[in-house]
Amino acid sequence: MDYVLKTEALTKTYGRHKALDNFSMCIPPGAIYGLVGKNGAGKTTLLRLICGLQEATSGDYTLFGISSRKHEILGARKGMGAVIETPAIYLDMSATGNLKEQYRVLGIRSFDTIPQLLKMVGLENTGWKRAKNFSLGMRQRLGIAVALAGNPRFLVLDEPINGLDPQGIIEMRQLLLDLNQKYGITILVSSHNLDELSRLATHYGFINNGKMVKEISAKDLENSFRKSVRIEVTNGKALAAVLEQAGLPHKILAPNVSEVYSRVNISKLTSALEKYQCEVLSIKEQEENLESYYVNLIGGVSHE
Ligand code: ATP
């Protein structure tokens, strides 16, 4: 398969520090690829490298199958748009003014497609209002419109929902889904917000200390989530004894609460516990989620 982006042993060092260390990833066409990692993991370094803003120390990447070492990479990069760190917009200009400026930079002569582009990002009714009077979410969406000006097939976004209010987050989510599903744009998005990412991503790359720890599709990830049952009883020792006898893998979470990592036959369990005069107070099915998966994979807490 021709990946939209493939990095091979990409390494970037600053002095002795390896910000990216033999980093390899593959983004298939049509994906929303979530790049997950804590502060300082190397996300922005990776995005800056693939956008040509910095040079790798070693390793290579291909964009639409074209090696970064080839001259043709300049042409391939025209098929990609990016918003890295803060959106590249002029605050004293309106949304239309900003797009006209970008069209000029790209050598696009006709401004006819600007209204359509503004509609795509939900800024069609902003008129003469200057970007400095926009909400943060509107500025982010204008940044995305600027990145979309050259009609790219691949969009790279660094933390697009950082600092947005709940409404802004919902609008950004809808925009990214529309760009992907209606317009077929492949998206690489870095984010700290795992809950939000889990509503969008079709693929994940988990990065830590500049290394790719795990690359997995959302489907495979969901299939790998462990399912468990949390049981609260009046006598934790009795519960532990019954679970041991039944050979059910479990973990004691509190004196009277255990988590069982297997299917549980509730009526059998209840009658076994009755022999110890132990009552079941509650039973709750649980499923691992992206956040607990991440914590297990990388360690530590996932929200910085
Ligand atoms: P954040 O979520 O905080 O933006 P990140 O995952 O994007 O983090 P990077 O900005 O890529 O992380 O930084 C990776 C590592 O490289 C960090 O330890 C950072 O301090 C270091 N680093 C990044 N840029 C430079 C630079 N220009 N000079 C020296 N070290 C740098």
Side-chain angles (χ1 to χ4, degrees):
M1 182 203 292
D2 245 1
Y3 290 105
V4 170
L5 176 76
K6 186 171 196 295
T7 73
E8 287 165 56
L10 209 54
T11 299
K12 176 73 185 173
T13 53
Y14 293 111
R16 283 227 220 103
H17 178 69
K18 280 190 177 172
L20 269 190
D21 188 359
N22 272 304
F23 190 85
S24 298
M25 79 191 298
C26 298
I27 305 185
I32 298 183
Y33 190 107
L35 182 65
V36 185
K38 50 190 167 194
N39 290 115
K43 302 181 295 296
T44 307
T45 302
L46 172 76
L47 303 188
R48 292 179 65 83
L49 288 185
I50 61 168
C51 290
L53 300 170
Q54 274 178 308
E55 286 220 14
T57 310
S58 63
D60 190 18
Y61 64 88
T62 59
L63 197 56
F64 308 114
I66 294 168
S67 161
S68 70
R69 299 210 183 97
K70 291 197 173 153
H71 183 68
E72 290 80 20
I73 191 71
L74 297 176
R77 229 178 242 122
K78 288 189 181 149
M80 143 185 210
V83 184
I84 310 281
E85 288 152 324
T86 42
I89 56 174
Y90 298 101
L91 294 177
D92 271 330
M93 287 186 182
S94 66
T96 304
N98 265 283
L99 286 176
K100 281 186 177 170
E101 207 47 49
Q102 185 64 9
Y103 273 42
R104 283 189 198 103
V105 168
L106 296 174
I108 306 169
R109 296 227 179 95
S110 162
F111 296 145
D112 290 356
T113 49
I114 288 181
Q116 188 199 338
L117 192 47
L118 287 176
K119 196 157 183 269
M120 262 166 95
V121 300
L123 291 176
E124 67 273 34
N125 297 320
T126 52
W128 294 105
K129 193 171 182 170
R130 292 175 190 194
K132 67 179 172 194
N133 298 320
F134 283 9
S135 69
L136 190 62
M138 290 164 76
R139 285 185 202 178
Q140 287 285 24
R141 282 183 280 130
L142 179 55
I144 292 178
V146 169
L148 292 173
N151 209 8
R153 290 178 283 153
F154 179 38
L155 186 63
V156 176
L157 302 172
D158 191 13
E159 303 277 359
I161 61 166
N162 243 10
L164 298 189
D165 61 19
Q167 183 61 26
I169 291 178
I170 294 169
E171 286 166 359
M172 183 60 72
R173 181 198 311 152
Q174 200 49 52
L175 171 59
L176 299 188
L177 287 172
D178 279 355
L179 292 177
N180 181 253
Q181 289 165 9
K182 282 198 202 155
Y183 300 96
I185 298 175
T186 303
I187 299 175
L188 166 59
V189 55
S190 77
S191 182
H192 279 128
N193 189 323
L194 297 180
D195 181 45
E196 196 48 42
L197 211 51
S198 69
R199 295 165 197 242
L200 288 173
T202 58
H203 294 75
Y204 295 95
F206 296 92
I207 178 174
N208 198 32
N209 295 327
K211 291 193 174 82
M212 175 64 88
V213 180
K214 179 95 185 164
E215 190 171 48
I216 189 167
S217 73
K219 234 186 199 163
D220 288 347
L221 181 75
E222 272 162 36
N223 289 336
S224 78
F225 283 161
R226 290 190 305 174
K227 291 177 183 55
S228 64
V229 184
R230 188 169 289 193
I231 304 170
E232 186 177 6
V233 294
T234 51
N235 179 348
K237 280 188 184 152
L239 178 62
V242 168
L243 293 174
E244 285 294 331
Q245 279 162 23
L248 294 172
H250 65 279
K251 189 167 146 191
I252 297 168
L253 301 180
N256 287 337
V257 183
S258 280
E259 188 134 286
V260 184
Y261 302 103
S262 166
R263 283 177 70 87
V264 177
N265 182 323
I266 308 292
S267 55
K268 269 193 184 164
L269 180 80
T270 317
S271 60
L273 288 171
E274 268 170 13
K275 291 180 192 143
Y276 294 86
Q277 274 104 43
C278 172
E279 276 178 49
V280 175
L281 298 176
S282 69
I283 293 187
K284 203 169 147 202
E285 276 201 302
Q286 320 228 98
E287 191 176 52
E288 205 179 18
N289 58 23
L290 181 59
E291 187 162 321
S292 49
Y293 180 89
Y294 174 84
V295 173
N296 279 332
L297 191 68
I298 309 279
V301 284
S302 55
H303 287 305
E304 270 84 13

